[in-house]
Amino acid sequence: MIWRAAAGLARLLPPEAAHRAAVETLRRRIGPSPDLDDMPVEVAGLSFHNPLGLAAGFDKDAACPDGALRLGFGHVELGTITPLAQPGNPRPRVFRLPQDRAVINRYGFNSNGMEQAAARLAARRGTTSRHPGIVGINVGANKTSDMPTDDYRTAVARLVPYADYITLNISSPNTPGLRDLQAGDNLRRTIAAGRDGMAEAGFMCPLFVKIAPDLEDGDIDTICATALDEGIDGLIATNTTIARPETLRSPHAAESGGLSGAPLFERATHVLAAIARRLPADGPALVGVGGVASGWQAYAKILVGASLVQLYSGLALEGPDLPGRVVSELAVLLKADGHESIAVARGSIPDAGEAIQHALRLAQSA
Ligand SMILES: Cc1cc2nc3c(=O)[nH]c(=O)nc-3n(C[C@H](O)[C@H](O)[C@H](O)COP(=O)(O)O)c2cc1C
């Protein structure tokens, strides 16, 4: 209750100020710390306490991984971190769409760069007060880079010593040209750059690729074939969308940038299902992101094939007790379906529409 009230107060601030305040609050480890039963998931050789993670974009500068994990997440994905510090786009660049339970952002990878993040993560490593949980690091290219793939290699080489997994973000709509890296040979080259970065640093860890929701079937075919060919450990689906569904009612609906939150849920879940259909069960792990703000939505993503689920906008709109609520609700739904683990439930309803209906009905009757 108190955290809902705090979230309500934060909504009185402009969205970017509220975001900064939330990061600072979590840096001080202020927030709910729910006592959750473990819901273990093994992905790419990593053991997650539960399948829910904080999606990239909240903690772009590795300021508060422990404060975020304390909220009940099994993992946090830091970033997107670029090699060099850069200011991002002019303000305002993030907008709440309250009537639509959505956010539009065009931050444009504002970041203090990899050196500051590496220093913070090195300092964290030296402390005993780390909160248990998996820390992934999401990397991207600087806006002014002539050779974006070099930026991925550089950022991975610098940050991999501190990462449980690395994500190559090639799907932000706010860096011109970035999403072209999802196509054919570009994707292959970007993955190779990530691997080169690991080799250069002498540290190996699982490599994930994060993709956009605005993809044609042919693009999804290519991405899946390349992911399999290259032995990618995971695909994260999806980033924000440049689409603007006609249902949007909020005054800021026409702002440019990436849309996230409730209006993305179905689209992102369909893309996730389309990917799952094209990959063998022992292929790259799938991480479902987009519009999750309840246990049934997380469950729907697992039913179509996700091993892990992430959220961001729900946290911004509903407040810091959301992660604990989602994990608890998810446990109830798993049990109601008689599934002993996430691994058993994963992929058991491959059709996105059916999975969404099933999860929603189950939640309504639970
Ligand atoms: C304000 C904001 C900033 C974001 N920044 C990043 C980012 O830097 N890197 C990234 O990979 N995704 C970023 N995202 C996308 C989220 O990680 C996530 O993929 C997307 O918002 C869909 O999930 P959601 O509906 O739960 O927010 C950002 C999202 C928001 C709302």
Side-chain angles (χ1 to χ4, degrees):
M1 199 62 193
I2 178 180
W3 301 114
R4 286 228 164 166
L9 283 177
R11 275 194 293 275
L12 299 175
L13 294 171
E16 186 163 346
H19 179 193
R20 273 200 310 274
V23 170
E24 182 55 22
T25 307
L26 293 187
R27 193 184 66 75
R28 294 163 188 257
R29 301 193 191 199
I30 299 168
S33 177
D35 192 11
L36 300 169
D37 290 339
D38 265 11
M39 201 189 304
V41 192
E42 294 282 320
V43 170
L46 301 171
S47 303
F48 294 73
H49 293 299
N50 69 53
L52 188 68
L54 175 58
F58 178 81
D59 187 2
K60 288 172 183 284
D61 288 312
C64 61
D66 298 294
L69 287 169
R70 267 183 92 245
L71 299 181
F73 290 114
H75 71 285
V76 297
E77 189 165 311
L78 307 176
T80 293
I81 301 172
T82 50
L84 303 175
Q86 63 178 23
N89 289 320
R91 293 174 193 176
R93 52 195 178 175
V94 51
F95 306 88
R96 292 189 195 99
L97 282 66
Q99 294 96 318
D100 304 301
R101 289 179 294 138
V103 174
I104 290 176
N105 94 85
R106 50 170 181 268
Y107 267 121
F109 290 172
N110 54 313
S111 137
N112 291 332
M114 65 182 188
E115 288 305 332
Q116 188 201 65
R120 286 181 168 170
L121 291 165
R124 174 179 187 258
R125 194 184 250 178
T127 64
T128 51
S129 58
R130 288 194 303 266
H131 195 88
I134 297 289
V135 175
I137 300 182
N138 172 312
V139 299
N142 279 114
K143 184 176 179 182
T144 54
S145 174
D146 299 331
M147 275 290 272
T149 48
D150 275 356
D151 282 28
Y152 287 88
R153 182 183 48 72
T154 305
V156 170
R158 185 70 184 97
L159 295 166
V160 66
Y162 311 108
D164 291 317
Y165 71 85
I166 290 277
T167 298
L168 305 175
N169 177 12
I170 51 172
S171 48
S172 166
N174 301 315
T175 296
L178 195 89
R179 287 174 304 153
D180 297 342
L181 298 177
Q182 294 173 120
D185 276 352
N186 287 349
L187 177 55
R188 224 176 269 283
R189 274 194 287 274
T190 311
I191 292 167
R195 291 241 162 85
D196 287 349
M198 290 188 191
E200 201 176 303
F203 283 86
M204 298 307 279
C205 74
L207 188 62
F208 293 5
V209 172
K210 182 164 178 180
I211 65 165
D214 310 308
L215 296 167
E216 305 292 333
D217 281 354
D219 304 327
I220 298 178
D221 288 341
T222 312
I223 288 170
C224 289
T226 310
L228 266 178
D229 239 33
E230 298 290 329
I232 278 295
D233 297 284
L235 283 171
I236 306 185
T238 69
N239 214 311
T240 56
T241 179
I242 53 169
R244 292 293 180 270
E246 283 178 4
T247 52
L248 297 181
R249 290 177 299 130
S250 305
H252 288 303
E255 291 291 345
S256 66
L259 172 73
S260 56
L264 178 59
F265 173 69
E266 288 210 7
R267 175 74 196 151
T269 308
H270 275 87
V271 170
L272 178 71
I275 294 169
R277 270 198 300 279
R278 288 164 170 81
L279 294 173
D282 61 353
L286 301 183
V287 184
V289 203
V292 172
S294 66
W296 74 263
Q297 290 170 312
Y299 191 46
K301 302 223 188 236
I302 290 164
L303 291 174
V304 301
S307 298
L308 300 169
V309 175
Q310 297 178 337
L311 61 81
Y312 177 174
S313 300
L315 182 73
L317 295 166
E318 297 204 17
D321 56 7
L322 183 69
R325 220 163 56 232
V326 170
V327 173
S328 310
E329 289 172 5
L330 181 57
V332 171
L333 297 172
L334 260 190
K335 201 168 167 202
D337 262 346
H339 293 310
E340 279 170 13
S341 66
I342 298 292
V344 176
R346 177 173 72 98
S348 59
I349 307 185
D351 180 84
E354 279 177 35
I356 290 170
Q357 283 307 315
H358 173 79
L360 179 57
R361 256 188 259 119
L362 194 65
Q364 284 166 345
S365 64

